[in-house]
Amino acid sequence: QVQLVESGGGLVQPGGSLRLSCAGSGIIFSVYDMAWYRQSPGKERELVATVTRNSRTNYGDSVKARFTISRDNAKNTVYLQMNSLEPDNTAVYYCNARRWSDHWGQGTQVTVSS
């Protein structure tokens, strides 16, 4: 019943931009804190950004590019706008929803390469 579906990943050149989306269903989306995590080969999963139920945002220390997290509760969707992308941003990006329980999407691949 609970689903988080990421989209928007792909191949982009350094300096380019991508906008990731995560559509939630099966949860009361508006009361969940949402987050984006990422994981690349040989590295631990790390927090990229969070946005709380009232749209307060925080960003992980590892974020070096221009990233912005936002949410649209009317669409049950959280976004991650990624600008000025660098090769070290390459990873699988996962959507997370957390309140009384913890839910994860399947991830979407972001590859930054020329």
Side-chain angles (χ1 to χ4, degrees), residues 18-54:
L18 285 173
R19 188 194 195 199
L20 306 184
S21 299
C22 172
S25 61
I27 59 172
I28 307 172
F29 186 88
S30 62
V31 307
Y32 275 73
D33 294 335
M34 305 297 298
W36 288 95
Y37 289 76
R38 67 187 178 194
Q39 187 168 23
S40 57
K43 295 185 67 177
E44 201 171 70
R45 185 180 62 189
E46 64 181 356
L47 178 67
V48 177
T50 62
V51 57
T52 67
R53 57 192 288 183
N54 63 348

PDB file of all heavy atoms in Angstrom, residues 18-54:
ATOM      1  N   LEU A  18      19.205  18.862 -12.652  1.00  0.00           N
ATOM      2  CA  LEU A  18      18.149  17.867 -12.661  1.00  0.00           C
ATOM      3  C   LEU A  18      17.166  18.198 -11.559  1.00  0.00           C
ATOM      4  O   LEU A  18      17.543  18.771 -10.536  1.00  0.00           O
ATOM      5  CB  LEU A  18      18.686  16.456 -12.436  1.00  0.00           C
ATOM      6  CG  LEU A  18      19.417  15.753 -13.575  1.00  0.00           C
ATOM      7  CD1 LEU A  18      19.998  14.434 -13.065  1.00  0.00           C
ATOM      8  CD2 LEU A  18      18.493  15.505 -14.746  1.00  0.00           C
ATOM      9  N   ARG A  19      15.935  17.805 -11.777  1.00  0.00           N
ATOM     10  CA  ARG A  19      14.912  17.934 -10.751  1.00  0.00           C
ATOM     11  C   ARG A  19      14.325  16.559 -10.477  1.00  0.00           C
ATOM     12  O   ARG A  19      13.666  15.973 -11.339  1.00  0.00           O
ATOM     13  CB  ARG A  19      13.810  18.885 -11.189  1.00  0.00           C
ATOM     14  CG  ARG A  19      12.810  19.221 -10.073  1.00  0.00           C
ATOM     15  CD  ARG A  19      11.576  19.871 -10.633  1.00  0.00           C
ATOM     16  NE  ARG A  19      10.763  20.513  -9.611  1.00  0.00           N
ATOM     17  CZ  ARG A  19       9.480  20.837  -9.774  1.00  0.00           C
ATOM     18  NH1 ARG A  19       8.873  20.592 -10.925  1.00  0.00           N
ATOM     19  NH2 ARG A  19       8.812  21.428  -8.790  1.00  0.00           N
ATOM     20  N   LEU A  20      14.579  16.053  -9.283  1.00  0.00           N
ATOM     21  CA  LEU A  20      14.027  14.781  -8.872  1.00  0.00           C
ATOM     22  C   LEU A  20      12.670  14.980  -8.225  1.00  0.00           C
ATOM     23  O   LEU A  20      12.440  15.968  -7.532  1.00  0.00           O
ATOM     24  CB  LEU A  20      14.955  14.077  -7.882  1.00  0.00           C
ATOM     25  CG  LEU A  20      16.408  13.879  -8.313  1.00  0.00           C
ATOM     26  CD1 LEU A  20      17.158  13.090  -7.248  1.00  0.00           C
ATOM     27  CD2 LEU A  20      16.492  13.185  -9.661  1.00  0.00           C
ATOM     28  N   SER A  21      11.793  14.018  -8.451  1.00  0.00           N
ATOM     29  CA  SER A  21      10.479  14.028  -7.837  1.00  0.00           C
ATOM     30  C   SER A  21      10.252  12.714  -7.111  1.00  0.00           C
ATOM     31  O   SER A  21      10.757  11.672  -7.518  1.00  0.00           O
ATOM     32  CB  SER A  21       9.381  14.219  -8.890  1.00  0.00           C
ATOM     33  OG  SER A  21       9.514  15.442  -9.568  1.00  0.00           O
ATOM     34  N   CYS A  22       9.489  12.776  -6.048  1.00  0.00           N
ATOM     35  CA  CYS A  22       9.098  11.590  -5.296  1.00  0.00           C
ATOM     36  C   CYS A  22       7.620  11.703  -4.987  1.00  0.00           C
ATOM     37  O   CYS A  22       7.205  12.604  -4.241  1.00  0.00           O
ATOM     38  CB  CYS A  22       9.910  11.463  -4.013  1.00  0.00           C
ATOM     39  SG  CYS A  22       9.339  10.163  -2.892  1.00  0.00           S
ATOM     40  N   ALA A  23       6.844  10.811  -5.553  1.00  0.00           N
ATOM     41  CA  ALA A  23       5.406  10.794  -5.345  1.00  0.00           C
ATOM     42  C   ALA A  23       5.046   9.736  -4.314  1.00  0.00           C
ATOM     43  O   ALA A  23       5.417   8.567  -4.462  1.00  0.00           O
ATOM     44  CB  ALA A  23       4.682  10.521  -6.657  1.00  0.00           C
ATOM     45  N   GLY A  24       4.336  10.148  -3.283  1.00  0.00           N
ATOM     46  CA  GLY A  24       3.960   9.252  -2.205  1.00  0.00           C
ATOM     47  C   GLY A  24       2.498   8.849  -2.278  1.00  0.00           C
ATOM     48  O   GLY A  24       1.639   9.626  -2.686  1.00  0.00           O
ATOM     49  N   SER A  25       2.231   7.628  -1.852  1.00  0.00           N
ATOM     50  CA  SER A  25       0.866   7.149  -1.736  1.00  0.00           C
ATOM     51  C   SER A  25       0.801   6.144  -0.589  1.00  0.00           C
ATOM     52  O   SER A  25       1.814   5.558  -0.205  1.00  0.00           O
ATOM     53  CB  SER A  25       0.371   6.523  -3.039  1.00  0.00           C
ATOM     54  OG  SER A  25       1.162   5.394  -3.396  1.00  0.00           O
ATOM     55  N   GLY A  26      -0.387   5.955  -0.044  1.00  0.00           N
ATOM     56  CA  GLY A  26      -0.566   5.019   1.049  1.00  0.00           C
ATOM     57  C   GLY A  26      -0.174   5.557   2.413  1.00  0.00           C
ATOM     58  O   GLY A  26      -0.184   4.806   3.398  1.00  0.00           O
ATOM     59  N   ILE A  27       0.184   6.821   2.493  1.00  0.00           N
ATOM     60  CA  ILE A  27       0.494   7.486   3.749  1.00  0.00           C
ATOM     61  C   ILE A  27      -0.221   8.824   3.792  1.00  0.00           C
ATOM     62  O   ILE A  27      -0.641   9.339   2.748  1.00  0.00           O
ATOM     63  CB  ILE A  27       2.007   7.702   3.951  1.00  0.00           C
ATOM     64  CG1 ILE A  27       2.583   8.558   2.814  1.00  0.00           C
ATOM     65  CG2 ILE A  27       2.743   6.379   4.083  1.00  0.00           C
ATOM     66  CD1 ILE A  27       4.018   8.980   3.030  1.00  0.00           C
ATOM     67  N   ILE A  28      -0.353   9.364   5.006  1.00  0.00           N
ATOM     68  CA  ILE A  28      -0.852  10.729   5.134  1.00  0.00           C
ATOM     69  C   ILE A  28       0.341  11.634   4.866  1.00  0.00           C
ATOM     70  O   ILE A  28       1.074  12.026   5.772  1.00  0.00           O
ATOM     71  CB  ILE A  28      -1.462  10.972   6.517  1.00  0.00           C
ATOM     72  CG1 ILE A  28      -2.516   9.911   6.841  1.00  0.00           C
ATOM     73  CG2 ILE A  28      -2.082  12.367   6.585  1.00  0.00           C
ATOM     74  CD1 ILE A  28      -3.037   9.971   8.263  1.00  0.00           C
ATOM     75  N   PHE A  29       0.526  11.949   3.617  1.00  0.00           N
ATOM     76  CA  PHE A  29       1.753  12.579   3.154  1.00  0.00           C
ATOM     77  C   PHE A  29       2.074  13.866   3.907  1.00  0.00           C
ATOM     78  O   PHE A  29       3.230  14.121   4.260  1.00  0.00           O
ATOM     79  CB  PHE A  29       1.653  12.846   1.650  1.00  0.00           C
ATOM     80  CG  PHE A  29       2.916  13.355   1.033  1.00  0.00           C
ATOM     81  CD1 PHE A  29       3.874  12.478   0.562  1.00  0.00           C
ATOM     82  CD2 PHE A  29       3.149  14.719   0.923  1.00  0.00           C
ATOM     83  CE1 PHE A  29       5.044  12.942  -0.012  1.00  0.00           C
ATOM     84  CE2 PHE A  29       4.308  15.196   0.353  1.00  0.00           C
ATOM     85  CZ  PHE A  29       5.260  14.300  -0.109  1.00  0.00           C
ATOM     86  N   SER A  30       1.066  14.673   4.166  1.00  0.00           N
ATOM     87  CA  SER A  30       1.290  16.002   4.727  1.00  0.00           C
ATOM     88  C   SER A  30       1.875  15.990   6.140  1.00  0.00           C
ATOM     89  O   SER A  30       2.446  16.989   6.563  1.00  0.00           O
ATOM     90  CB  SER A  30      -0.010  16.808   4.722  1.00  0.00           C
ATOM     91  OG  SER A  30      -0.995  16.197   5.521  1.00  0.00           O
ATOM     92  N   VAL A  31       1.750  14.886   6.874  1.00  0.00           N
ATOM     93  CA  VAL A  31       2.261  14.837   8.244  1.00  0.00           C
ATOM     94  C   VAL A  31       3.634  14.177   8.333  1.00  0.00           C
ATOM     95  O   VAL A  31       4.206  14.105   9.420  1.00  0.00           O
ATOM     96  CB  VAL A  31       1.278  14.126   9.203  1.00  0.00           C
ATOM     97  CG1 VAL A  31      -0.106  14.745   9.102  1.00  0.00           C
ATOM     98  CG2 VAL A  31       1.222  12.632   8.932  1.00  0.00           C
ATOM     99  N   TYR A  32       4.152  13.700   7.234  1.00  0.00           N
ATOM    100  CA  TYR A  32       5.455  13.049   7.228  1.00  0.00           C
ATOM    101  C   TYR A  32       6.572  14.030   6.937  1.00  0.00           C
ATOM    102  O   TYR A  32       6.430  14.923   6.089  1.00  0.00           O
ATOM    103  CB  TYR A  32       5.486  11.940   6.176  1.00  0.00           C
ATOM    104  CG  TYR A  32       4.940  10.618   6.656  1.00  0.00           C
ATOM    105  CD1 TYR A  32       3.579  10.436   6.838  1.00  0.00           C
ATOM    106  CD2 TYR A  32       5.800   9.557   6.926  1.00  0.00           C
ATOM    107  CE1 TYR A  32       3.078   9.225   7.291  1.00  0.00           C
ATOM    108  CE2 TYR A  32       5.312   8.342   7.371  1.00  0.00           C
ATOM    109  CZ  TYR A  32       3.950   8.179   7.547  1.00  0.00           C
ATOM    110  OH  TYR A  32       3.460   6.970   7.984  1.00  0.00           O
ATOM    111  N   ASP A  33       7.671  13.861   7.653  1.00  0.00           N
ATOM    112  CA  ASP A  33       8.898  14.514   7.257  1.00  0.00           C
ATOM    113  C   ASP A  33       9.480  13.754   6.069  1.00  0.00           C
ATOM    114  O   ASP A  33       9.487  12.522   6.059  1.00  0.00           O
ATOM    115  CB  ASP A  33       9.912  14.538   8.393  1.00  0.00           C
ATOM    116  CG  ASP A  33       9.471  15.388   9.555  1.00  0.00           C
ATOM    117  OD1 ASP A  33       8.656  16.314   9.360  1.00  0.00           O
ATOM    118  OD2 ASP A  33       9.951  15.137  10.681  1.00  0.00           O
ATOM    119  N   MET A  34       9.948  14.486   5.097  1.00  0.00           N
ATOM    120  CA  MET A  34      10.477  13.885   3.884  1.00  0.00           C
ATOM    121  C   MET A  34      11.963  14.180   3.752  1.00  0.00           C
ATOM    122  O   MET A  34      12.463  15.188   4.257  1.00  0.00           O
ATOM    123  CB  MET A  34       9.737  14.416   2.649  1.00  0.00           C
ATOM    124  CG  MET A  34       8.224  14.245   2.697  1.00  0.00           C
ATOM    125  SD  MET A  34       7.717  12.506   2.754  1.00  0.00           S
ATOM    126  CE  MET A  34       8.373  11.904   1.193  1.00  0.00           C
ATOM    127  N   ALA A  35      12.647  13.302   3.064  1.00  0.00           N
ATOM    128  CA  ALA A  35      14.082  13.484   2.893  1.00  0.00           C
ATOM    129  C   ALA A  35      14.551  12.814   1.617  1.00  0.00           C
ATOM    130  O   ALA A  35      13.909  11.901   1.091  1.00  0.00           O
ATOM    131  CB  ALA A  35      14.851  12.921   4.088  1.00  0.00           C
ATOM    132  N   TRP A  36      15.681  13.291   1.143  1.00  0.00           N
ATOM    133  CA  TRP A  36      16.420  12.639   0.079  1.00  0.00           C
ATOM    134  C   TRP A  36      17.744  12.143   0.636  1.00  0.00           C
ATOM    135  O   TRP A  36      18.457  12.881   1.326  1.00  0.00           O
ATOM    136  CB  TRP A  36      16.682  13.581  -1.092  1.00  0.00           C
ATOM    137  CG  TRP A  36      15.468  13.902  -1.902  1.00  0.00           C
ATOM    138  CD1 TRP A  36      14.653  14.977  -1.765  1.00  0.00           C
ATOM    139  CD2 TRP A  36      14.952  13.126  -2.989  1.00  0.00           C
ATOM    140  NE1 TRP A  36      13.646  14.934  -2.695  1.00  0.00           N
ATOM    141  CE2 TRP A  36      13.804  13.809  -3.459  1.00  0.00           C
ATOM    142  CE3 TRP A  36      15.333  11.944  -3.610  1.00  0.00           C
ATOM    143  CZ2 TRP A  36      13.044  13.328  -4.528  1.00  0.00           C
ATOM    144  CZ3 TRP A  36      14.573  11.471  -4.669  1.00  0.00           C
ATOM    145  CH2 TRP A  36      13.440  12.160  -5.114  1.00  0.00           C
ATOM    146  N   TYR A  37      18.054  10.905   0.334  1.00  0.00           N
ATOM    147  CA  TYR A  37      19.341  10.301   0.624  1.00  0.00           C
ATOM    148  C   TYR A  37      19.985   9.882  -0.689  1.00  0.00           C
ATOM    149  O   TYR A  37      19.324   9.780  -1.723  1.00  0.00           O
ATOM    150  CB  TYR A  37      19.196   9.074   1.523  1.00  0.00           C
ATOM    151  CG  TYR A  37      18.813   9.362   2.959  1.00  0.00           C
ATOM    152  CD1 TYR A  37      17.510   9.698   3.310  1.00  0.00           C
ATOM    153  CD2 TYR A  37      19.763   9.275   3.969  1.00  0.00           C
ATOM    154  CE1 TYR A  37      17.160   9.948   4.623  1.00  0.00           C
ATOM    155  CE2 TYR A  37      19.416   9.519   5.290  1.00  0.00           C
ATOM    156  CZ  TYR A  37      18.114   9.851   5.605  1.00  0.00           C
ATOM    157  OH  TYR A  37      17.776  10.089   6.918  1.00  0.00           O
ATOM    158  N   ARG A  38      21.259   9.610  -0.623  1.00  0.00           N
ATOM    159  CA  ARG A  38      21.929   9.083  -1.799  1.00  0.00           C
ATOM    160  C   ARG A  38      22.995   8.075  -1.381  1.00  0.00           C
ATOM    161  O   ARG A  38      23.503   8.106  -0.264  1.00  0.00           O
ATOM    162  CB  ARG A  38      22.556  10.192  -2.646  1.00  0.00           C
ATOM    163  CG  ARG A  38      23.721  10.907  -1.986  1.00  0.00           C
ATOM    164  CD  ARG A  38      24.165  12.095  -2.823  1.00  0.00           C
ATOM    165  NE  ARG A  38      25.245  12.828  -2.174  1.00  0.00           N
ATOM    166  CZ  ARG A  38      25.652  14.036  -2.531  1.00  0.00           C
ATOM    167  NH1 ARG A  38      25.073  14.657  -3.557  1.00  0.00           N
ATOM    168  NH2 ARG A  38      26.641  14.624  -1.879  1.00  0.00           N
ATOM    169  N   GLN A  39      23.314   7.203  -2.316  1.00  0.00           N
ATOM    170  CA  GLN A  39      24.332   6.197  -2.075  1.00  0.00           C
ATOM    171  C   GLN A  39      25.061   5.905  -3.380  1.00  0.00           C
ATOM    172  O   GLN A  39      24.428   5.660  -4.402  1.00  0.00           O
ATOM    173  CB  GLN A  39      23.733   4.913  -1.514  1.00  0.00           C
ATOM    174  CG  GLN A  39      24.770   3.892  -1.082  1.00  0.00           C
ATOM    175  CD  GLN A  39      24.168   2.762  -0.271  1.00  0.00           C
ATOM    176  OE1 GLN A  39      22.965   2.493  -0.369  1.00  0.00           O
ATOM    177  NE2 GLN A  39      24.977   2.112   0.533  1.00  0.00           N
ATOM    178  N   SER A  40      26.373   5.938  -3.321  1.00  0.00           N
ATOM    179  CA  SER A  40      27.203   5.597  -4.459  1.00  0.00           C
ATOM    180  C   SER A  40      28.035   4.376  -4.106  1.00  0.00           C
ATOM    181  O   SER A  40      28.231   4.067  -2.926  1.00  0.00           O
ATOM    182  CB  SER A  40      28.091   6.772  -4.862  1.00  0.00           C
ATOM    183  OG  SER A  40      28.892   7.201  -3.779  1.00  0.00           O
ATOM    184  N   PRO A  41      28.544   3.661  -5.106  1.00  0.00           N
ATOM    185  CA  PRO A  41      29.312   2.442  -4.833  1.00  0.00           C
ATOM    186  C   PRO A  41      30.479   2.690  -3.892  1.00  0.00           C
ATOM    187  O   PRO A  41      31.248   3.638  -4.073  1.00  0.00           O
ATOM    188  CB  PRO A  41      29.796   2.012  -6.221  1.00  0.00           C
ATOM    189  CG  PRO A  41      28.767   2.551  -7.155  1.00  0.00           C
ATOM    190  CD  PRO A  41      28.362   3.869  -6.555  1.00  0.00           C
ATOM    191  N   GLY A  42      30.606   1.833  -2.892  1.00  0.00           N
ATOM    192  CA  GLY A  42      31.690   1.934  -1.940  1.00  0.00           C
ATOM    193  C   GLY A  42      31.498   2.970  -0.861  1.00  0.00           C
ATOM    194  O   GLY A  42      32.394   3.154  -0.031  1.00  0.00           O
ATOM    195  N   LYS A  43      30.371   3.631  -0.857  1.00  0.00           N
ATOM    196  CA  LYS A  43      30.110   4.654   0.139  1.00  0.00           C
ATOM    197  C   LYS A  43      28.838   4.335   0.907  1.00  0.00           C
ATOM    198  O   LYS A  43      27.952   3.629   0.425  1.00  0.00           O
ATOM    199  CB  LYS A  43      29.983   6.031  -0.502  1.00  0.00           C
ATOM    200  CG  LYS A  43      31.249   6.548  -1.161  1.00  0.00           C
ATOM    201  CD  LYS A  43      31.075   7.966  -1.658  1.00  0.00           C
ATOM    202  CE  LYS A  43      30.898   8.945  -0.506  1.00  0.00           C
ATOM    203  NZ  LYS A  43      30.791  10.357  -0.995  1.00  0.00           N
ATOM    204  N   GLU A  44      28.770   4.871   2.105  1.00  0.00           N
ATOM    205  CA  GLU A  44      27.598   4.712   2.942  1.00  0.00           C
ATOM    206  C   GLU A  44      26.479   5.628   2.455  1.00  0.00           C
ATOM    207  O   GLU A  44      26.725   6.694   1.890  1.00  0.00           O
ATOM    208  CB  GLU A  44      27.970   5.036   4.386  1.00  0.00           C
ATOM    209  CG  GLU A  44      27.047   4.465   5.435  1.00  0.00           C
ATOM    210  CD  GLU A  44      27.613   4.645   6.827  1.00  0.00           C
ATOM    211  OE1 GLU A  44      27.660   5.791   7.306  1.00  0.00           O
ATOM    212  OE2 GLU A  44      28.019   3.630   7.423  1.00  0.00           O
ATOM    213  N   ARG A  45      25.265   5.191   2.668  1.00  0.00           N
ATOM    214  CA  ARG A  45      24.131   6.045   2.359  1.00  0.00           C
ATOM    215  C   ARG A  45      24.200   7.321   3.187  1.00  0.00           C
ATOM    216  O   ARG A  45      24.452   7.274   4.396  1.00  0.00           O
ATOM    217  CB  ARG A  45      22.827   5.297   2.638  1.00  0.00           C
ATOM    218  CG  ARG A  45      21.568   6.061   2.241  1.00  0.00           C
ATOM    219  CD  ARG A  45      20.332   5.250   2.561  1.00  0.00           C
ATOM    220  NE  ARG A  45      20.209   4.993   3.984  1.00  0.00           N
ATOM    221  CZ  ARG A  45      19.320   4.164   4.525  1.00  0.00           C
ATOM    222  NH1 ARG A  45      18.474   3.501   3.742  1.00  0.00           N
ATOM    223  NH2 ARG A  45      19.281   3.993   5.839  1.00  0.00           N
ATOM    224  N   GLU A  46      23.982   8.449   2.559  1.00  0.00           N
ATOM    225  CA  GLU A  46      24.109   9.718   3.247  1.00  0.00           C
ATOM    226  C   GLU A  46      22.893  10.602   3.012  1.00  0.00           C
ATOM    227  O   GLU A  46      22.235  10.535   1.971  1.00  0.00           O
ATOM    228  CB  GLU A  46      25.381  10.454   2.809  1.00  0.00           C
ATOM    229  CG  GLU A  46      25.404  10.860   1.349  1.00  0.00           C
ATOM    230  CD  GLU A  46      26.680  11.573   0.954  1.00  0.00           C
ATOM    231  OE1 GLU A  46      27.522  11.831   1.835  1.00  0.00           O
ATOM    232  OE2 GLU A  46      26.842  11.862  -0.246  1.00  0.00           O
ATOM    233  N   LEU A  47      22.648  11.431   3.986  1.00  0.00           N
ATOM    234  CA  LEU A  47      21.533  12.365   3.913  1.00  0.00           C
ATOM    235  C   LEU A  47      21.886  13.530   3.000  1.00  0.00           C
ATOM    236  O   LEU A  47      22.944  14.141   3.132  1.00  0.00           O
ATOM    237  CB  LEU A  47      21.189  12.884   5.310  1.00  0.00           C
ATOM    238  CG  LEU A  47      20.071  13.921   5.402  1.00  0.00           C
ATOM    239  CD1 LEU A  47      18.734  13.307   5.011  1.00  0.00           C
ATOM    240  CD2 LEU A  47      20.000  14.492   6.811  1.00  0.00           C
ATOM    241  N   VAL A  48      20.987  13.842   2.092  1.00  0.00           N
ATOM    242  CA  VAL A  48      21.157  14.971   1.193  1.00  0.00           C
ATOM    243  C   VAL A  48      20.392  16.184   1.698  1.00  0.00           C
ATOM    244  O   VAL A  48      20.944  17.282   1.819  1.00  0.00           O
ATOM    245  CB  VAL A  48      20.712  14.619  -0.237  1.00  0.00           C
ATOM    246  CG1 VAL A  48      20.831  15.835  -1.151  1.00  0.00           C
ATOM    247  CG2 VAL A  48      21.528  13.454  -0.774  1.00  0.00           C
ATOM    248  N   ALA A  49      19.124  15.998   1.985  1.00  0.00           N
ATOM    249  CA  ALA A  49      18.284  17.114   2.401  1.00  0.00           C
ATOM    250  C   ALA A  49      17.025  16.586   3.060  1.00  0.00           C
ATOM    251  O   ALA A  49      16.581  15.477   2.775  1.00  0.00           O
ATOM    252  CB  ALA A  49      17.917  18.004   1.211  1.00  0.00           C
ATOM    253  N   THR A  50      16.454  17.398   3.937  1.00  0.00           N
ATOM    254  CA  THR A  50      15.188  17.072   4.574  1.00  0.00           C
ATOM    255  C   THR A  50      14.239  18.250   4.461  1.00  0.00           C
ATOM    256  O   THR A  50      14.657  19.401   4.386  1.00  0.00           O
ATOM    257  CB  THR A  50      15.353  16.728   6.064  1.00  0.00           C
ATOM    258  OG1 THR A  50      15.869  17.857   6.769  1.00  0.00           O
ATOM    259  CG2 THR A  50      16.287  15.538   6.256  1.00  0.00           C
ATOM    260  N   VAL A  51      12.968  17.940   4.449  1.00  0.00           N
ATOM    261  CA  VAL A  51      11.936  18.958   4.555  1.00  0.00           C
ATOM    262  C   VAL A  51      10.849  18.419   5.480  1.00  0.00           C
ATOM    263  O   VAL A  51      10.321  17.330   5.271  1.00  0.00           O
ATOM    264  CB  VAL A  51      11.372  19.372   3.175  1.00  0.00           C
ATOM    265  CG1 VAL A  51      10.810  18.188   2.400  1.00  0.00           C
ATOM    266  CG2 VAL A  51      10.330  20.472   3.335  1.00  0.00           C
ATOM    267  N   THR A  52      10.554  19.180   6.522  1.00  0.00           N
ATOM    268  CA  THR A  52       9.588  18.730   7.513  1.00  0.00           C
ATOM    269  C   THR A  52       8.168  18.928   7.024  1.00  0.00           C
ATOM    270  O   THR A  52       7.923  19.483   5.946  1.00  0.00           O
ATOM    271  CB  THR A  52       9.776  19.473   8.839  1.00  0.00           C
ATOM    272  OG1 THR A  52       9.432  20.851   8.666  1.00  0.00           O
ATOM    273  CG2 THR A  52      11.214  19.354   9.332  1.00  0.00           C
ATOM    274  N   ARG A  53       7.238  18.495   7.852  1.00  0.00           N
ATOM    275  CA  ARG A  53       5.824  18.606   7.510  1.00  0.00           C
ATOM    276  C   ARG A  53       5.387  20.047   7.294  1.00  0.00           C
ATOM    277  O   ARG A  53       4.428  20.286   6.563  1.00  0.00           O
ATOM    278  CB  ARG A  53       4.967  17.962   8.597  1.00  0.00           C
ATOM    279  CG  ARG A  53       5.197  18.564   9.981  1.00  0.00           C
ATOM    280  CD  ARG A  53       4.553  17.726  11.070  1.00  0.00           C
ATOM    281  NE  ARG A  53       3.100  17.842  11.064  1.00  0.00           N
ATOM    282  CZ  ARG A  53       2.299  17.270  11.942  1.00  0.00           C
ATOM    283  NH1 ARG A  53       2.809  16.511  12.904  1.00  0.00           N
ATOM    284  NH2 ARG A  53       0.987  17.422  11.858  1.00  0.00           N
ATOM    285  N   ASN A  54       6.057  20.999   7.930  1.00  0.00           N
ATOM    286  CA  ASN A  54       5.742  22.412   7.728  1.00  0.00           C
ATOM    287  C   ASN A  54       6.771  23.125   6.844  1.00  0.00           C
ATOM    288  O   ASN A  54       6.930  24.343   6.907  1.00  0.00           O
ATOM    289  CB  ASN A  54       5.571  23.136   9.057  1.00  0.00           C
ATOM    290  CG  ASN A  54       6.831  23.167   9.893  1.00  0.00           C
ATOM    291  OD1 ASN A  54       7.797  22.467   9.607  1.00  0.00           O
ATOM    292  ND2 ASN A  54       6.830  23.978  10.937  1.00  0.00           N
TER     293      ASN A  54
END
